Amino acid sequence: MIDFDYVRANDLGDALSQITKHQAAKFIAGGTNLIDLMKEDVEQPTRLIDITELPLNEIHETQTGGLKIGALVPNSNLAYDERITQRYPLLSSAILAGASPQLRNMASTGGNLLQRTRCLYFYDTATPCNKRRPGSGCGAMEGFNRMNAILGWSNSCIAVHPSDMCVALSALEAVVHVMGPKGDRAIRSVDFHRLPGDMPEIDTNLARDEIITAIELPSEEFSRNYSYLKIRDRLSYAFALVSVAAALRIEAGAITCARIALGGVAHKPWRAPDAEQSLEGKQPSREAFVEAADIILQGAVGFDHNRFKIELARRSIVRALEQAAAGTPQSQSVKVIV
Amino acid sequence: MSVGTNSIGKPVSRVDGPAKVTGRAKYAAEFSAPALAYGFVVSSVVAKGRIQSIDRSAALAVPGVIEVLAHDNRPSLPSSHEKYTDQVAAPGSPFRPLYNDEILFSGQPVALVIAEEPEIARFAAGLVEIKYEAEATITELDTQIDKAFEPPEKRAPDWDPPARGDVESALSRAPTHIRKEYRTPVEHHNPMETFGSTAVWENDGRLTVYDKTQGAPNCQEYLCNVFGLTKDKVRVLSPYVGGAFGVGLRPNYQLFMAALAAIGLKRSVRVTLTRQQMFTLGYRPQTIQTLTLGAENDGRLVAVRHDAIANTSRFEDYQEPTVVWSGALYPCDDSALTSSLARLDLFTPCDMRAPGGAVGMYALESAMDELSYAVGVDPLELRLKNYSERDQNQNRPISSKALKDCYLQGAERFGWSKRRPEPRSMREGRELIGYGMATGIWSAFFVPTSARAILAPDGTMEIACATADIGTGTYTILAQIGAEMLGLPLDKVIVRIGDSDLPSAPVEGGSWTAASAGSAVMEACNGIRKELLKRASAINNSPLQGVDAADVTMVDGQIRVKSDPSRAMPLSEVMVSLKEPIRSEVSAAPDERALEEYSHYAHSAVFAEVRLDEELGMLRVARVVSAVAAGRILNPKTAKSQILGAVVGGIGMALHEETVIDHRYGRFMNHNLAEYHVPVHADVHAIDVIFVDEQEHRLNPLGVKGVGEIGIVGTAAAIANAVFHATGVRVRDLPITIDKLLELRQPTSNHAA
Ligand SMILES: Cc1cc2nc3c(=O)[nH]c(=O)nc-3n(C[C@H](O)[C@H](O)[C@H](O)COP(=O)(O)OP(=O)(O)OC[C@H]3O[C@@H](n4cnc5c(N)ncnc54)[C@H](O)[C@@H]3O)c2cc1C
Ligand code: SF4
């Protein structure tokens, strides 16, 4: 762990000027990820800018019928907010599938988006990792890669993004609002995280000196036909081997809109528009769901310890879609899978 | 809770509970001292090789850093490995921390940074530049099977009983055979409290060390040997221990580090380990076991062969009783049991809750389950058919064995009769349901232990014994025994333990503490009783004159004659006449010869129900019933907690726990509690504990067998057997994870039928 300064940002302008001034500074919100990484010497910020006093902890209605969630809204508050549980239950369910109540109480919405991979080699400075130390090699590729990617990986990194919340945000096509020295901008959640390519050290398309201010949910809620199914090595408090956020709009017995996002399989929440389109116009059926799953997993390639995820993902996609279609979403408290 | 003075056998809440929940109970790293300095351990990033150089300049330049100790500048230390041994050491050459430049395992402590503040020490530790000359490591047990050897020096001769009969020819004659390989991985104990030691440098050159340990006297002896001190110069205390499960049996390196620094600096020093560093201590070794059973068509065993290979380090031959149970539990005239070791470039394994038993019985009881299907006999019925009243390993009777009651009461409570015999035959909705059962067995011991009791004139009694309470309830049961013996209310008995200055006790392990420390306390109290009676009889007109000690009870503050209850005297009346406290100190020890005439075991029958979604492999242990026969139960509440905790440990062993090694680096990779999985609340459902009545008269005066470990033995097998019953898939390498269950692992691992 290194020596660092700690300051508190008074307002957004202060936060931005601080981060611009200090090249090795980082924002800290709940600290549930950053502090762990600092203890392991994975992150070494020389200055922490505490943003928890900024006025970013409310949820507002938007003019287009959606919701705008402040970046500092704690994961627990968000998951249990009535507007979320009633209108965007997929998001609530995904958040409750993650971490533990204590962590969710501390974790912020913005921090959740920026949590880093749990790849074992990323966390252990005694081993090589291109994400942690560009050019040092990928320890996971030929190592213990049970939790690593089967889709969208590159020869330099096979890490996965560990968030549950982000998988739901991707399915809901949320928009991330950010503010930077050059002004405000909005990034579609599907574009927020990136694939590793040959620069695995960069997780997202957020610039170093930008701050997340809010996440906007569009008006399409998918409150009737949705499910968040998370498959993991124990029934709670474990990262996903595979997770699926499924959301369907069903009209007159036919699917008119389908969203499928996968967690635990790639460097970002994984979407496959062609698979979603394959469902449109069809009646919900196992065959149609299997076909969609096959499309999503067409290019999947696993490694020594995680090949099983391909078949597991296929089955999970089908089940999540079945749950969504039947209006019987996966419960995050009762662990029986319907 | 108010209890009468007959407190043995009552479900008394922990006497140390209030201190623990209010934070008054202090743990090793919470003790302070004037001018306390803080040490942080630098851990090796390579697993084998040599340290070429240590550049400590950057670390020393940090304000507040006092010293960076390593092999090249440490105070003088003995070279003889002997000096580093301890009561629980495995045969071999114990690790000598900071002794030389040799690296023996990944995470080996290679330097200690001592600073004025813990944060400074930790920061500076990252600045110590160490250059290594790394060598290739071997950490994969599979590649070392042909090099496995029988350890020349045995840790305990009883664990490898000689072959009896002719197992090969018995096998060839047997109409039914089972021969299967079972695997268990490395597991780490991971108690919640990480290891820490506060070494307090007293001005007169004495050292008082608060240590997280299961044996304060063992650590005292270790420090004396390593640092050349006499016992009067070193005192080790471990008043509270936040779990240990065996990893606190041997002195761990933070103790050495804290003492080394304190002696070197003549200053008090505290050293604590991080969670990651907890994975550099001892662990349950990996095993590969082959079970061969030969049986008659009706399931009666005629031949048992159990061959186990476990890993050890390069420098010690750690051994545990893995195969011995296979020759003791079921009757069988022809058997061969072998254990061998393979050396890996890892630290030495150490005892972990039911060492050997937990893994060995997983293999035996899985094989028994496989046999039950092969012969078409219900698994419970198969155990009853193979019920033994003798320990054939030792060719002697068993002192008490209420295992049959465990089977029957457990089965009744569980509803075993509702089980349909065929695999995959029970389901509800999407879930397949499986019922499985297994037997548990664990040795019951009585080991020499001393204790002291002091009855003060104010009617309070202090009980003292060097043993530890690692969360098991030792404080409570010793208080209960004291209260019972003298007819005192429980809150009049004060228990002091976890201190090398107190009457000596062995390490708190092996499930022997209740039996051994309990018996010592009982005998110390007997001494007090005799003295009390003597004083009572001496009082003028005493109704107790001329009474035999054996004819006296002490209940509810009264000393009363059993054969004539009208003759009684209040204890307080005797106390009034006392000027001085009454002391009694004893060393309790078994009559070894009498002990040898019988074998002593605790037993259990474990029943488990699992439910799983077949398509997705999501598995739940819906119910566990553990029926235990362990002699007299001193406190059903703390005893039940032991079984509950051990069953949770068994669920972890069956489904979650595994420390994975990257063989390229010889390094454990999932070294934190996010990635090393133990069961969480969602994984733990109904657990029902039954203590069956069992009268034990020979082992120790209390009739106690101990319940610390029996609860984990058999649990993993019961769950694995339930998984097979539910799915028809037999996973023979723990833990049973989704990929193995769905048979999705590629290349398919060793568990194919
Ligand atoms: C043991 C454990 C288990 C977990 N299990 C799960 C799980 O199963 N599923 C899951 O989804 N998550 C899980 N988590 C992760 C948890 O969700 C994240 O740690 C949490 O969401 C991070 O939020 P935070 O506010 O604490 O972030 P911090 O740690 O404060 O920050 C994380 C990063 O975000 C940056 N940051 C924070 N806020 C902003 C902002 N507004 N603008 C710009 N940058 C910002 C920080 O600079 C930092 O780099 C687990 C965590 C732990 C420790
Ligand atoms: S997968 Fe990515 S994060 Fe993991 S070791 Fe390779 S480069 Fe590092």
Side-chain angles (χ1 to χ4, degrees):
Chain A
M1 197 160 56
I2 68 160
D3 203 6
F4 60 88
D5 294 329
Y6 168 87
V7 293
R8 183 163 271 179
N10 303 319
D11 53 39
L12 273 166
D14 184 27
L16 287 177
S17 80
Q18 292 265 7
I19 197 98
T20 318
K21 239 189 299 171
H22 302 276
Q23 273 307 302
K26 268 195 162 298
F27 295 128
I28 181 163
T32 60
N33 189 223
L34 185 55
I35 298 287
D36 273 3
L37 290 167
M38 286 170 68
K39 286 200 225 165
E40 295 300 310
D41 280 327
V42 176
E43 299 269 20
Q44 302 198 312
T46 53
R47 167 170 290 232
L48 288 184
I49 306 163
D50 185 338
I51 57 171
T52 53
E53 302 275 282
L54 302 184
L56 301 173
N57 50 6
E58 281 179 28
I59 304 174
H60 294 291
E61 299 281 344
T62 64
Q63 277 161 2
T64 51
L67 289 176
K68 200 166 175 181
I69 303 155
L72 289 168
V73 173
N75 285 179
S76 302
N77 295 20
L78 184 56
Y80 293 115
D81 188 282
E82 211 163 279
R83 290 162 288 185
I84 301 296
T85 56
Q86 297 298 311
R87 290 161 54 186
Y88 302 93
L90 175 63
L91 177 58
S92 174
S93 182
I95 294 170
L96 294 178
S100 65
Q102 296 91 329
L103 283 159
R104 295 194 296 263
N105 288 344
M106 287 302 290
S108 66
T109 304
N112 195 317
L113 282 170
L114 292 174
Q115 63 173 295
R116 308 208 66 188
T117 186
R118 310 301 291 204
C119 174
L120 300 179
Y121 299 84
F122 177 68
Y123 259 82
D124 187 338
T125 54
T127 63
C129 168
N130 287 324
K131 186 183 276 299
R132 177 169 35 77
R133 253 184 53 212
S136 63
C138 171
M141 193 95 59
E142 286 170 16
F144 195 75
N145 44 36
R146 178 179 174 79
M147 299 300 288
N148 292 66
I150 52 171
L151 286 164
W153 49 266
S154 72
N155 284 330
S156 55
C157 179
I158 60 170
V160 302
H161 192 261
S163 170
D164 291 297
M165 184 186 90
C166 295
V167 182
L169 291 180
S170 178
L172 291 168
E173 299 198 338
V175 173
V176 183
H177 291 277
V178 312
M179 192 183 267
K182 295 194 212 86
D184 301 354
R185 61 183 184 124
I187 310 171
R188 298 192 318 153
S189 65
V190 287
D191 299 328
F192 187 81
H193 297 97
R194 56 186 295 283
L195 291 180
D198 52 12
M199 286 171 78
E201 66 275 22
I202 302 175
D203 293 351
T204 70
N205 289 314
L206 185 78
R208 200 201 71 81
D209 55 4
E210 285 178 316
I211 188 167
I212 300 171
T213 53
I215 289 169
E216 184 178 337
L217 298 174
S219 57
E220 176 83 70
E221 300 167 346
F222 296 103
S223 60
R224 229 173 347 140
N225 295 104
Y226 73 94
S227 187
Y228 188 75
L229 179 62
K230 180 177 179 181
I231 309 297
R232 51 193 140 176
D233 278 327
R234 59 183 167 190
L235 294 176
S236 180
Y237 197 45
F239 291 96
L241 291 167
V242 171
S243 71
V244 185
L248 300 172
R249 194 190 323 131
I250 302 174
E251 283 161 330
I255 297 168
T256 55
C257 176
R259 304 268 178 81
I260 310 165
L262 264 58
V265 296
H267 202 258
K268 60 185 288 186
W270 192 260
R271 287 278 300 276
D274 43 347
E276 294 172 2
Q277 274 150 27
S278 82
L279 289 173
E280 281 166 24
K282 290 199 185 135
Q283 294 188 344
S285 72
R286 194 170 170 92
E287 297 72 61
F289 297 154
V290 170
E291 196 190 316
D294 285 341
I295 297 173
I296 296 173
L297 294 163
Q298 251 164 21
V301 179
F303 297 85
D304 272 2
H305 297 276
N306 75 348
R307 283 195 189 97
F308 71 96
K309 279 190 178 186
I310 301 173
E311 179 59 24
L312 187 61
R314 192 186 316 277
R315 298 179 188 188
S316 306
I317 294 166
V318 172
R319 182 68 66 83
L321 285 166
E322 284 179 341
Q323 292 176 327
T328 53
Q330 180 60 43
S331 162
Q332 299 306 342
S333 50
V334 180
K335 303 293 172 179
V336 180
I337 301 181
V338 290
Chain B
M1 142 178 213
S2 90
V3 271
T5 62
N6 287 114
S7 56
I8 290 188
K10 299 263 164 62
V12 177
S13 293
R14 282 163 201 274
V15 296
D16 50 334
K20 280 185 171 166
V21 298
T22 56
R24 267 188 292 120
K26 272 197 183 180
Y27 293 80
E30 295 180 317
F31 287 89
S32 199
L36 183 65
Y38 301 83
F40 193 85
V41 174
V42 181
S43 309
S44 169
V45 296
V46 306
K48 192 176 184 176
R50 299 204 166 268
I51 299 172
Q52 279 179 331
S53 64
I54 300 182
D55 181 354
R56 34 169 77 75
S57 53
L60 287 170
V62 176
V65 171
I66 300 164
E67 180 60 288
V68 179
L69 286 175
H71 71 278
D72 54 354
N73 69 342
R74 53 155 175 81
S76 139
L77 285 170
S79 67
S80 158
H81 288 275
E82 294 262 287
K83 294 278 182 195
Y84 297 80
T85 195
D86 69 276
Q87 291 170 12
V88 194
S93 311
F95 173 57
R96 299 167 301 175
L98 302 190
Y99 187 74
N100 57 21
D101 61 353
E102 201 181 359
I103 301 296
L104 298 165
F105 58 95
S106 186
Q108 175 177 322
V110 288
L112 181 74
V113 178
I114 307 142
E116 301 291 345
E117 299 296 339
E119 293 81 5
I120 296 173
R122 188 166 183 168
F123 167 51
L127 301 177
V128 179
E129 283 272 345
I130 302 182
K131 287 215 167 59
Y132 300 93
E133 189 185 300
E135 287 170 36
T137 55
I138 296 172
T139 50
E140 196 170 0
L141 184 56
D142 275 288
T143 64
Q144 301 303 300
I145 295 175
D146 53 345
K147 298 201 184 72
F149 61 98
E150 196 182 317
E153 191 186 333
K154 301 285 187 210
R155 202 171 157 211
D158 285 3
W159 294 347
D160 290 294
R164 60 176 176 261
D166 179 350
V167 76
E168 293 309 326
S169 74
L171 277 169
S172 68
R173 283 193 315 271
T176 305
H177 289 139
I178 293 288
R179 184 185 156 85
K180 299 291 175 198
E181 187 180 282
Y182 302 91
R183 288 159 174 262
T184 62
V186 167
E187 292 175 6
H188 279 80
H189 312 61
N190 274 310
M192 282 314 290
E193 182 199 13
T194 54
F195 276 85
S197 305
T198 307
V200 180
W201 179 259
E202 315 281 2
N203 289 334
D204 55 3
R206 282 182 307 115
L207 206 55
T208 304
V209 188
Y210 298 92
D211 185 38
K212 176 192 173 78
T213 175
Q214 292 174 253
N218 189 29
C219 289
Q220 178 199 33
E221 217 172 288
Y222 172 84
L223 291 178
C224 290
N225 289 336
V226 172
F227 297 107
L229 301 167
T230 49
K231 280 197 176 174
D232 57 321
K233 291 274 188 289
V234 183
R235 179 178 177 195
V236 177
L237 296 103
S238 59
Y240 294 99
V241 180
F245 309 110
V247 68
L249 289 169
R250 298 186 66 178
N252 282 316
Y253 63 76
Q254 90 290 339
L255 172 70
F256 168 94
M257 295 285 178
L260 178 80
I263 292 167
L265 299 174
K266 300 202 180 334
R267 183 174 169 178
S268 300
V269 178
R270 176 194 298 158
V271 178
T272 49
L273 301 187
T274 62
R275 177 60 61 187
Q276 283 69 16
Q277 288 170 333
M278 295 287 284
F279 287 81
T280 65
L281 307 176
Y283 52 89
R284 201 193 280 291
Q286 190 184 341
T287 71
I288 301 173
Q289 304 177 53
T290 306
L291 238 302
T292 315
L293 302 179
E296 301 290 358
N297 284 327
D298 66 357
R300 273 180 301 123
L301 286 170
V302 296
V304 175
R305 187 175 181 100
H306 189 167
D307 302 291
I309 300 174
N311 80 276
T312 189
S313 64
R314 295 267 171 221
F315 45 96
E316 284 174 307
D317 292 350
Y318 170 78
Q319 299 153 54
E320 56 184 35
T322 307
V323 297
V324 59
W325 321 104
S326 297
L329 184 56
Y330 302 118
C332 179
D333 293 335
D334 298 275
S335 86
L337 314 169
T338 73
S339 289
S340 51
L341 297 178
R343 296 200 187 286
L344 298 180
D345 294 306
L346 297 172
F347 188 56
T348 309
C350 77
D351 296 318
M352 177 165 167
R353 205 167 201 173
V359 292
M361 286 296 288
Y362 156 68
L364 174 65
E365 288 300 282
S366 295
M368 285 295 280
D369 199 63
E370 303 208 37
L371 178 64
S372 81
Y373 290 96
V375 294
V377 174
D378 174 87
L380 174 60
E381 186 60 33
L382 184 72
R383 268 70 171 192
L384 290 167
K385 274 191 179 181
N386 285 289
Y387 200 82
S388 177
E389 299 290 354
R390 285 183 74 75
D391 176 358
Q392 278 180 296
N393 279 343
Q394 307 288 341
N395 192 24
R396 63 191 180 193
I398 298 163
S399 63
S400 57
K401 180 172 176 177
L403 175 60
K404 205 168 269 170
D405 296 329
C406 296
Y407 286 139
L408 300 179
Q409 291 180 33
E412 170 73 29
R413 182 80 61 89
F414 183 80
W416 183 256
S417 60
K418 297 197 194 77
R419 178 179 186 271
R420 294 208 207 110
E422 314 78 47
R424 308 179 55 79
S425 61
M426 295 170 74
R427 64 167 71 226
E428 196 177 306
R430 279 195 190 264
E431 286 190 318
L432 284 169
I433 300 172
Y435 284 7
M437 60 86 56
T439 314
I441 178 171
W442 187 245
S443 295
F445 299 98
F446 175 22
V447 285
T449 303
S450 305
R452 179 174 69 215
I454 302 176
L455 183 65
D458 67 359
T460 58
M461 179 165 64
E462 182 193 276
I463 279 168
C465 174
T467 188
D469 185 333
I470 59 171
T472 43
T474 310
Y475 275 106
T476 311
I477 55 137
L478 296 186
Q480 285 176 272
I481 294 166
E484 171 98 12
M485 290 299 294
L486 291 186
L488 295 172
L490 196 61
D491 59 4
K492 295 282 182 218
V493 183
I494 290 128
V495 177
R496 287 179 56 207
I497 56 177
D499 181 349
S500 62
D501 270 4
L502 301 177
S504 76
V507 291
E508 199 281 3
S511 294
W512 59 52
T513 298
S516 308
S519 296
V521 166
M522 182 179 172
E523 289 187 16
C525 291
N526 261 329
I528 303 256
R529 279 170 66 115
K530 283 200 191 110
E531 186 60 28
L532 266 178
L533 187 61
K534 207 166 93 193
R535 311 267 180 112
S537 316
I539 292 172
N540 272 348
N541 301 323
S542 169
L544 299 175
Q545 270 167 20
V547 192
D548 188 63
D551 193 22
V552 160
T553 65
M554 297 195 186
V555 186
D556 297 332
Q558 298 282 330
I559 309 177
R560 178 168 282 130
V561 180
K562 276 194 220 158
S563 54
D564 179 3
S566 69
R567 291 171 65 189
M569 192 172 174
L571 194 64
S572 52
E573 218 169 284
V574 191
M575 300 308 295
V576 167
S577 71
L578 288 184
K579 302 260 158 4
E580 304 261 280
I582 304 179
R583 288 171 62 98
S584 160
E585 184 162 340
V586 301
S587 290
D591 172 351
E592 292 290 350
R593 270 236 244 103
L595 216 55
E596 293 276 292
E597 283 172 27
Y598 292 87
S599 285
H600 307 272
Y601 297 112
H603 294 91
S604 70
V606 192
F607 298 83
E609 174 185 324
V610 301
R611 290 175 169 248
L612 103 160
D613 184 286
E614 189 179 10
E615 201 180 10
L616 301 174
M618 291 284 272
L619 179 69
R620 291 181 294 138
V621 179
R623 283 189 303 137
V624 175
V625 173
S626 183
V628 176
R632 186 182 197 184
I633 300 303
L634 293 168
N635 180 334
K637 189 171 184 177
T638 52
K640 182 181 172 192
S641 291
Q642 283 301 299
I643 305 301
L644 291 177
V647 168
V648 174
I651 295 174
M653 186 178 163
L655 306 183
H656 307 121
E657 292 190 53
E658 175 177 22
T659 321
V660 296
I661 310 170
D662 188 320
H663 302 301
R664 295 169 303 170
Y665 313 122
R667 191 167 169 88
F668 294 123
M669 287 309 301
N670 52 338
H671 42 57
N672 61 65
L673 287 181
E675 310 298 340
Y676 181 93
H677 288 171
V678 297
V680 295
H681 281 88
D683 298 297
V684 180
H685 298 266
I687 303 174
D688 209 340
V689 179
I690 301 168
F691 290 111
V692 307
D693 189 40
E694 187 179 69
Q695 304 293 324
E696 167 60 51
H697 299 296
R698 301 186 181 92
L699 180 60
N700 55 61
L702 274 170
V704 162
K705 288 183 174 175
V707 292
E709 288 158 294
I710 183 66
I712 194 171
V713 186
T715 301
I719 293 168
N721 295 343
V723 169
F724 177 77
H725 181 237
T727 61
V729 178
R730 180 74 67 175
V731 181
R732 298 192 185 87
D733 56 337
L734 297 182
I736 303 171
T737 47
I738 291 173
D739 46 339
K740 298 176 193 169
L741 202 52
L742 296 179
E743 300 188 299
L744 291 179
R745 215 168 201 198
Q746 292 163 1
T748 24
S749 65
N750 37 59
H751 65 266

